[in-house]
Amino acid sequence: MRSWLTLAVIAPLLAALPLVGNNYALRLATTVFMYSVMAQSWNFIGGLAGYPSFATAAFFGLGAYASAILQNHGVPMVPAWACAGVAALLFAAFLGGAILHLRGHYFAIASLIVAEMLREIVNTLPDFTGGGKGMNLPLLKLSVTAQAQFFFYAMLALAVLTVATAIVLQRSKLGFGLRCIQQNESAADIIGINSYAYKTAGFCLSAVFVGVAGAIYASWVNYIDPPDVFDVLISVKPMVMVLLGGLGTIFGPPLGAVVLLLLEEVVWRNFLTMHVAALGVIIVVLVLFLPHGLLALIRERFPTKAMAN
Amino acid sequence: MIYLQIAANGLVLGGLYACIAVGFSLVWGVLNVINILHGSFIVLGSYVAYFAYVHLGIHPFISIVIAGGVLYALGYLVQAGIINRVVTAPVLITLTLTFGLDLILNNAMLVAFTADYRGISLAHPLGSLEIGPVFLPGDRVAAMALAILLTILLYRLLRDSSIGRAIIAVRMDREAAALMGVDVKRIIFPISPLNGPVFLGKAFVVCVLGGLGSVPGALAGGLLLGVIESFTSYWLGPERAVTVSFALLLVLLFVRPSGLMGRRGYE
């Protein structure tokens, strides 16, 4: 209940941002929502089930390309986004069936390679996907400010939807099963959890929103190419954000998204050539000194009644 | 006859892949840590050899000692100072940590060495070797032989020395990260900090092909990958070689995750 209340308070506040912020603030906020969607989605499989998936970039790129190809064949924008989500979902169901029997590092590598494979495939189909030259998307006939607001609200809606899914999942049988798998998969099997089905469901959930986010991103920036949307950093950043915020929590991933983007902005401005290394430093410090995330730190400082019980 | 030549090229390439993968396989198998830094370590070793040759005139075959020493020290520092703190943590933590370290090292190398491709052209190359219808550049063959020699040496070290037995038995390891510094491919291939992920990818494929934590497996996997890449380059074009090796990796993970020669139990 508290989670719903928190969401109900934060979402309208965020929705009011265009009243006060300029386009720069809107762009940053849109990126935060996108990060939040990716982090929250990764949390479904990585945080709850404990499967270190590197497939986020694969879903993101797949969504971006699916939507771009559909739109260039005359499908309107919003239905194309929905189709991108479905495409990512189906792909995850298929992929999950193939690689979810792997554990630990093997799963991580297999999921990492999938994004590389998709990028290679896109590169080798120039007639269909534009190959290495990339793809342009139809331009919106809106003013710059109206566009910024449109994508802001689209990404916000998706982020809120993802958080809502996380809240529902947390209480559901599926969420419980995924947490059991994370604790001890063999034991989960023994007490009658169909771990394969649960993992596949978790994996699909972690794909669908990322696919839509990729589609919205493609429309937002108007141009995509394989190195951009299949970038391995797209797979890594969600993990960093979830670790930052708190593994397996509901509001940890969005919090991590905000903190990571702020850090990124500061670093970008001050150390242009070393910003990747700065991300590396953030990761190392985080893993070594803050393994349970910021949310745990906050709770430690300000224990609530609910926690004390 | 062309096939003999392609197979020979593949074997030469594969010897280097085996050498690249063996250290990676060791860290993975013994520590249960995937060292994402591995590719960057190899590139760094190449730079040590490059600068030793260009500025000091030391032949790459000799500067192996220097490159090995430098990377040994670096590997020791990283392992003892950072990785050991989380070595028992879940996969996600160690994976993310080495990824972060890799971002730092890679970016530092980009800034220090720029992204330009460099290569060493030896003043006195060894000429080419002619075995029947097959031509092979002498330097490459020597490098491959050295790579395989070092791999075998590592294997013996692990099997026979007390340190090696300690590594295997106690699963506590310091040397591995450094031993992977011994790369020999630097003599021929142009290097750039951008190459790191390429080597890492090869190391993955070789480990899965050969089986995790097994030195003979890495050797066999490396040679096999070299031959496979060599033939795909010939039949489908060099740009397909990576795709094919990745596809192979996925298929293998699906049907035989313990690798061709791997022992069961590493999961």
Side-chain angles (χ1 to χ4, degrees):
Chain A
M1 204 57 221
R2 261 184 60 212
S3 305
W4 287 114
L5 273 177
T6 315
L7 183 63
V9 171
I10 293 177
L13 281 179
L14 289 173
L17 190 72
L19 299 176
V20 289
N22 56 11
N23 283 351
Y24 171 69
L26 283 192
R27 191 183 65 78
L28 278 190
T30 311
T31 313
V32 164
F33 299 148
M34 185 174 87
Y35 277 10
S36 170
V37 169
M38 293 177 347
Q40 194 75 265
S41 298
W42 183 85
N43 197 31
F44 295 150
I45 187 76
L48 290 179
Y51 270 67
S53 163
F54 277 80
T56 311
F59 302 141
F60 189 85
L62 185 77
Y65 266 96
S67 152
I69 291 168
L70 285 173
Q71 286 185 56
N72 284 340
H73 285 82
V75 178
M77 186 168 67
V78 176
W81 291 353
C83 291
V86 174
L89 180 90
L90 293 177
F91 181 68
F94 166 75
L95 182 68
I99 67 172
L100 276 170
H101 70 286
L102 302 168
R103 290 189 188 178
H105 289 133
Y106 284 104
F107 174 77
I109 290 173
S111 62
L112 180 72
I113 301 269
V114 169
E116 300 292 318
M117 284 290 291
L118 282 183
R119 172 164 55 190
E120 292 294 324
I121 290 170
V122 166
N123 264 329
T124 50
L125 294 172
D127 297 335
F128 200 46
T129 61
K133 288 203 304 272
M135 267 182 116
N136 287 303
L137 282 95
L139 288 170
L140 289 182
K141 290 175 188 67
L142 289 173
S143 74
V144 175
T145 312
Q147 275 199 37
Q149 290 188 0
F150 175 74
F151 288 110
F152 170 86
Y153 282 117
M155 225 39 125
L156 174 63
L158 187 65
V160 170
L161 186 64
T162 324
V163 173
T165 309
I167 297 174
V168 173
L169 189 68
Q170 191 88 354
R171 304 272 155 103
S172 71
K173 202 177 155 208
L174 176 60
F176 177 76
L178 290 175
R179 280 197 297 276
C180 286
I181 290 170
Q182 190 226 350
Q183 297 285 331
N184 187 334
E185 190 165 340
S186 313
D189 272 329
I190 290 167
I191 62 168
I193 288 168
N194 182 349
S195 64
Y196 205 63
Y198 274 59
K199 284 186 291 184
T200 309
F203 201 50
C204 290
L205 266 184
S206 86
V208 57
F209 300 113
V210 174
V212 179
I216 299 179
Y217 171 82
S219 298
W220 184 31
V221 297
N222 287 129
Y223 168 79
I224 51 170
D225 66 346
D228 183 26
V229 294
F230 290 111
D231 188 354
V232 65
L233 283 180
I234 294 178
S235 295
V236 174
K237 280 180 186 170
M239 304 164 89
V240 178
M241 291 184 269
V242 173
L243 284 174
L244 252 176
L247 208 61
T249 60
I250 291 172
F251 290 101
L255 178 67
V258 173
V259 175
L260 184 72
L261 187 84
L262 290 180
L263 287 172
E264 273 188 347
E265 280 294 309
V266 172
V267 170
W268 263 107
R269 281 190 189 171
N270 297 309
F271 317 94
L272 195 55
T273 52
M274 290 297 280
H275 74 273
V276 176
L279 180 64
V281 172
I282 294 170
I283 293 175
V284 172
V285 169
L286 181 67
V287 168
L288 291 183
F289 301 109
L290 204 66
H292 300 296
L294 290 169
L295 225 52
L297 198 71
I298 295 169
R299 281 188 188 146
E300 225 166 81
R301 284 283 156 85
F302 308 101
T304 59
K305 256 188 187 158
M307 294 289 295
N309 296 336
Chain B
M1 277 310 99
I2 183 82
Y3 291 120
L4 266 180
Q5 176 72 49
I6 295 169
N9 288 346
L11 284 177
V12 172
L13 192 64
L16 299 172
Y17 285 169
C19 195
I20 288 172
V22 72
F24 182 76
S25 170
L26 198 63
V27 178
W28 188 358
V30 174
L31 284 178
N32 196 26
V33 168
I34 285 202
N35 184 17
I36 307 267
L37 265 174
H38 192 74
S40 295
F41 273 170
I42 289 167
V43 173
L44 189 62
S46 312
Y47 274 103
V48 172
Y50 174 80
F51 289 119
Y53 186 72
V54 172
H55 295 302
L56 306 171
I58 301 172
H59 193 280
F61 287 146
I62 297 162
S63 65
I64 283 175
V65 185
I66 306 172
V70 167
L71 280 140
Y72 184 98
L74 186 66
Y76 185 91
L77 280 179
V78 169
Q79 171 64 29
I82 301 173
I83 296 180
N84 257 358
R85 289 160 149 261
V86 295
V87 78
T88 52
V91 172
L92 171 67
I93 299 290
T94 53
L95 204 61
T96 319
L97 179 67
T98 57
F99 193 90
L101 290 170
D102 184 53
L103 290 181
I104 299 173
L105 179 59
N106 204 283
N107 200 170
M109 288 199 297
L110 264 177
V111 171
F113 306 139
T114 76
D116 295 343
Y117 280 83
R118 303 170 201 232
I120 298 177
S121 11
L122 291 174
H124 307 286
L126 291 177
S128 67
L129 214 62
E130 210 182 319
I131 312 159
V134 178
F135 284 89
L136 291 170
D139 288 316
R140 274 197 186 215
V141 175
M144 171 213 165
L146 208 58
I148 292 182
L149 188 75
L150 285 169
T151 310
I152 294 171
L153 213 65
L154 174 64
Y155 180 60
R156 298 298 350 157
L157 184 81
L158 278 177
R159 294 304 286 266
D160 300 336
S161 74
S162 50
I163 298 175
R165 290 185 165 273
I167 289 174
I168 291 176
V170 191
R171 293 205 153 206
M172 202 188 102
D173 156 272
R174 298 260 156 76
E175 279 77 6
L179 282 166
M180 72 181 67
V182 289
D183 68 289
V184 196
K185 95 241 136 266
R186 62 185 95 110
I187 307 161
I188 311 107
F189 293 106
I191 52 166
S192 155
L194 303 175
N195 277 357
V198 177
F199 294 133
L200 184 66
K202 306 280 186 222
F204 274 148
V205 182
V206 170
C207 278
V208 174
L209 263 177
L212 184 55
S214 126
V215 174
L219 194 59
L223 292 175
L224 191 60
L225 178 66
V227 174
I228 290 170
E229 281 199 357
S230 191
F231 275 98
T232 23
S233 298
Y234 175 69
W235 281 322
L236 304 170
E239 74 278 6
R240 295 276 195 286
V242 180
T243 318
V244 169
S245 59
F246 279 163
L248 186 76
L249 178 61
L250 279 182
V251 171
L252 255 173
L253 277 174
F254 187 53
V255 295
R256 199 177 154 75
S258 58
L260 297 177
M261 297 173 71
R263 283 159 291 168
R264 299 213 162 261
Y266 284 119
E267 274 177 354

